[in-house]
Amino acid sequence: MQNKFALTVAATLSLALVGCGGGGGSSTSAPVATNPAPVTPPATTTPTPTPVVLAPTTQAATTPTYVAASQQSRAFNALSAFRTALNLGPVNQSTKIDMAAQNHSDYVATNNGGATPHEEVAGKPGFTGVTVKDRLVTAGYAATDASEVIGWTGANADAAEVIEGLSATVYHRVLMMMQHWTDVGIAPPVNSDAGRPAYIDFGTLATKQNVAGDYVGVYPANGQTAIGLTHAPEAPNPFADLDGTAASFCAKTSFPISVMTEASTKIAVTTFTVTEDGQTTPVDVRLLTSATDKTGLLPQYVAFIVGKAPFKASTKYNVTFTGTATGAATGAANGVLNISKSWSFTTAAKDYRCQP
């Protein structure tokens, strides 16, 4: 902070008192006090600080200890690929968070549910903490922040499909692409129990990761292939015009497309379109931002579009985005970063969520 100091100049006048002598009727003139010319302090200017882009803080990736080709390993590798596509810092395996996730999986299985899917009730068998953060702390991980996503395998009973399904949503994708996560733990799905999904818990300690202040991440990424055709069913339901059933998601959504900026900034959308390659008319979409989200769950640094019909299979789509990210972290003049991006992706041959 620049401190401004006001310079005060004090002028002190000394008056000499002259006494009058007697006799002769002589007199003397009274002394005249002369004020000095006003002193003008030198002009001062406060230099304008040069904007500085927030530097990224990224940890090194470590090798997980999951058994090769296990459900945990496949989920972890898919999650790592998802974050890499977004140019986010890696999340590393924490065996303590693995334990917390497995404890909660066992609790839900034992009690046929919890207070909510992510919360437990004290006194119930297997209770280890009401919230995700509580359960991580119980397992010995001193979390300063924590969250959890839950997902089921698809037709192939492959935990990698859990990550694909979660990435095909709005709210659960946001949780997986939070920029500050450092650690993750996974309780694998139990394929013999259709009601027992994967539990994926995220945590961070005192040191957190962050992206650069002028970061712009998109998903699907440029050149990505085998992208799903629809938005996966999600609770809460992001769309006021859908009834929340799987059938409504299969018939009236496309795979969601997102643009994300640094977490302290606010994104504003000027244009955001997706167009089938070779066509000129963009797909009819819903725009979701923190201003339009009916649940209030979307952060201010993310924008989504979701089509009102499924994408076509094995088809290339072109995306354009223009807008701004506002915040000191951007390092831009007046804190406003102008964004203009164009990229493409190609869809999968089928959508296992909706096509048997």
Side-chain angles (χ1 to χ4, degrees):
M1 178 183 294
Q2 297 289 335
N3 293 314
K4 297 181 179 179
F5 297 93
L7 177 63
T8 301
V9 178
T12 303
L13 302 180
S14 298
L15 298 180
L17 297 180
V18 179
C20 297
S26 63
S27 64
T28 58
S29 300
V32 177
T34 303
N35 290 327
V39 177
T40 301
T44 60
T45 59
T46 301
T48 301
T50 301
V52 177
V53 179
L54 175 70
T57 301
T58 306
Q59 68 181 5
T62 61
T63 302
T65 60
Y66 299 125
V67 175
S70 67
Q71 294 281 44
Q72 285 173 300
S73 176
R74 291 190 60 77
F76 180 87
N77 291 340
L79 175 62
S80 297
F82 168 77
R83 289 183 63 90
T84 297
L86 282 155
N87 292 315
L88 295 174
V91 288
N92 292 326
Q93 178 197 7
S94 164
T95 55
K96 293 177 180 178
I97 303 182
D98 284 336
M99 181 188 302
Q102 188 61 56
N103 286 343
H104 186 54
S105 176
D106 293 342
Y107 167 92
V108 173
T110 298
N111 294 285
N112 295 312
T116 71
H118 299 289
E119 295 185 335
E120 297 182 4
V121 178
K124 293 281 188 177
F127 173 82
T128 55
V130 173
T131 68
V132 181
K133 184 178 177 181
D134 293 339
R135 297 192 291 273
L136 267 60
V137 171
T138 297
Y141 182 92
T144 57
D145 194 14
S147 193
E148 178 176 77
V149 291
I150 303 171
W152 282 258
T153 61
N156 296 324
D158 182 350
E161 291 179 348
V162 171
I163 303 301
E164 192 282 333
L166 293 168
S167 73
T169 66
V170 171
Y171 303 128
H172 290 76
R173 181 191 294 183
V174 166
L175 282 175
M176 292 200 303
M177 65 184 185
M178 281 189 168
Q179 300 158 19
H180 66 294
W181 296 136
T182 54
D183 301 295
V184 69
I186 301 169
V190 179
N191 293 329
S192 60
D193 180 358
R196 192 158 186 178
Y199 293 81
I200 302 171
D201 290 1
F202 296 91
T204 188
L205 299 171
T207 301
K208 301 178 181 181
Q209 300 191 96
N210 65 268
V211 297
D214 57 358
Y215 166 88
V216 180
V218 303
Y219 198 86
N222 186 41
Q224 199 166 348
T225 59
I227 296 302
L229 310 184
T230 61
H231 185 296
E234 177 174 38
N237 171 14
F239 311 113
D241 59 330
L242 297 187
D243 62 14
T245 61
S248 67
F249 279 91
C250 286
K252 298 179 180 180
T253 67
S254 74
F255 192 87
I257 303 169
S258 60
V259 176
M260 178 171 67
T261 56
E262 193 275 330
S264 69
T265 65
K266 183 175 183 178
I267 197 169
V269 178
T270 304
T271 61
F272 196 176
T273 64
V274 57
T275 307
E276 182 183 342
D277 193 45
Q279 302 297 314
T280 56
T281 302
V283 171
D284 191 13
V285 298
R286 308 167 182 87
L287 172 66
L288 289 86
T289 66
S290 61
T292 64
D293 175 37
K294 70 184 182 72
T295 67
L297 294 175
L298 275 188
Q300 65 177 9
Y301 55 89
V302 182
F304 280 85
I305 54 173
V306 178
K308 295 182 179 180
F311 285 141
K312 295 179 180 179
S314 303
T315 301
K316 181 180 178 181
Y317 285 88
N318 302 315
V319 188
T320 61
F321 177 92
T322 61
T324 59
T326 302
T330 65
N334 300 318
V336 180
L337 175 69
N338 292 311
I339 305 169
S340 179
K341 292 188 72 70
S342 298
W343 71 100
S344 302
F345 61 87
T346 302
T347 56
K350 64 179 295 185
D351 190 334
Y352 70 85
R353 278 183 291 277
C354 301
Q355 298 171 296

